[in-house]
Amino acid sequence: MYGHMNASLMTPGHPQFMARGDGARIWDVDGNCYIDLMCGWGPVILGRRHPDVDRAARRALEDGDCLNGATPAMVELAELLVETIAHADWALFAKNGTDATTLCLTVARAATGRRKILVANGAYHGAAPWCTPRTAGVVAEDRAHLIYYEYNDVASVQSAAQQAEDDLAAIIVCPVRQDTSRPQELPHPDFARALRMLCDTTGAALVMDEVRCGFRLDLAGSWESLEVRPDLAAWSKALANGYPLAAVTGSDWLRSAATEVFATGSFWFSGFALAAALATIRLLGAEEALPRMHAAGDRLRAGLANQAASHGFAITQTGPVEMPLLAFADDPDHTVMRVWAELAACHGVYLHPTHNWFLSTAHTDAVIDEILDRTDRAFNDLSNRLQ
Ligand SMILES: Cc1ncc(COP(=O)(O)O)c(C=O)c1O
C-alpha cells in the first residue's frame, strides 16, 4: 500500500479496503459501517453519492469520454471559477493536486524567468520529487532551487527572500499550516500581508496551495478574510466532490506564461469530472453550504470539548472547525490519540489520529450528534483503559 491511504499509518482498528459510501457514511469490505470524518482526505464536500453531482457526471459519461478535445464543460467551469475566485482571471485543468502545485511553480518560473521558490518547512504540496515528504528516489538537483522558511515567521521568509537575491520566482504557501502530526496553525494576518508585499516588491508570484482548504473556508479564496490574494492558486480535492480533477487559477499577468507552458495529460480533458465540478461549485454557492459546514464544525468542537472535560482529559482542538484536529495534552508521540482514534473506529467513527479531518454538508446536526454519541463511548473506554 502506498502513500497516505496505507491503513498502517492509522491504527490497527482502521480497515484497509473499503466497499462503498453514501452521504457521511462508508462501509468496509467486511460490512462494517463508519460515520466518516475524513471525506476521502478532503474531496467529498457535499457527501458521497450526491444526486445532482452524480447525475451531471453520468450525463457527461453517456456522451462518451476521451473525445480528442475538451467538452464545453471545460469553458463553462473556467468561467465559473473566474466568477467565483477573487484573484482568478483564467483557469486551466489537470487531475491531481500535485499537478496543480507543480504547474503553478512552472508558470511562475516561465513568467519571471527566475528559478528560486520559497517553500514552508514541513508543508505538504504533493508527491513529486520537488515536494514529496520522503526522499527515496529524490536527488539534490530536484530541490536545488528551493529555499525553506518557517510558516507564520515573517523574519524567516524575509531572510529566505534575501537568499534568493534577484532570482525569486515564487513563494508557495498553504492557507493554514496543516503539517501532519502537529497542531494546525491559522495564518497571522501580518505573515499573510508580508508574503504579498515581498512578492509585490520583488516581482515574484504568490502561489496559494488551496488543494486541501479550497472551497471549505471561502469560495472566493481562503485568505479573502485577510484581504490577501495570490497570483496563482492550485485547487483539487473538493473541486468536484470526489471526481478526479485539479485546477490552476491565475491573474492576468501570468496568462501568457501559462499559455506558453506545455501542460497536459492523457486524462486531463475528460468531461465527466468537469461536469461534476460545475455541479459541485454551483451547489456550494447556492445551498449555504459553507455556513452549514461551519456550524457543524462548531457543534462537533464544542461536543468533543465537553466530553473530554467530563472524562477528565485535557485536549487541544486546532485549525478551522470545518477541518478539525484533536490532540491529547502531554501526548507528544500521539500514543493516547492513536488508542482513542482506534476506539472511535471500533465505535464506528472513521477519523485520523494525526492528520486533520474534513467535514461535508452531509454532516448534519443529527450526524454530528451520532458521532458525538460514539466518541463519548471512545472517551469512556479510554479512561477505563488508562485506569
Ligand atoms: C495542501 C496539499 N497540497 C497538495 C496536495 C497533493 O494533492 P494530490 O494528492 O491530489 O496530488 C495535497 C494532498 O493531500 C495537499 O493536502
Side-chain angles (χ1 to χ4, degrees), residues 96-98 101 124-126 174 209 211-212 236-237:
N96 287 290
T98 312
T101 53
Y124 185 64
H125 295 297
C174 291
D209 180 350
V211 171
R212 197 179 309 184
S236 187
K237 291 197 184 279

Side-chain angles (χ1 to χ4, degrees), residues 214-227:
F215 306 111
R216 271 195 172 77
L217 306 183
D218 187 327
L219 290 184
S222 296
W223 277 8
E224 272 305 282
S225 62
L226 302 176
E227 297 177 5

Side-chain angles (χ1 to χ4, degrees), residues 8 18 27 37 42 62 71-72 75 127 134 144 165 176 179 197 214 250 257 265 270 285 338 350 353:
S8 72
M18 308 306 295
W27 284 262
L37 276 172
E62 278 161 12
T71 60
V75 180
R134 298 207 191 145
E165 298 179 340
V176 175
D179 312 350
M197 199 183 299
S270 81
R338 281 184 191 284
Y350 191 107

Side-chain angles (χ1 to χ4, degrees), residues 75-97:
V75 180
E76 279 178 64
L77 182 60
E79 286 173 353
L80 183 60
L81 292 187
V82 166
E83 255 171 52
T84 307
I85 297 166
H87 87 100
D89 295 317
W90 53 264
L92 61 83
F93 299 99
K95 279 290 144 199
N96 287 290

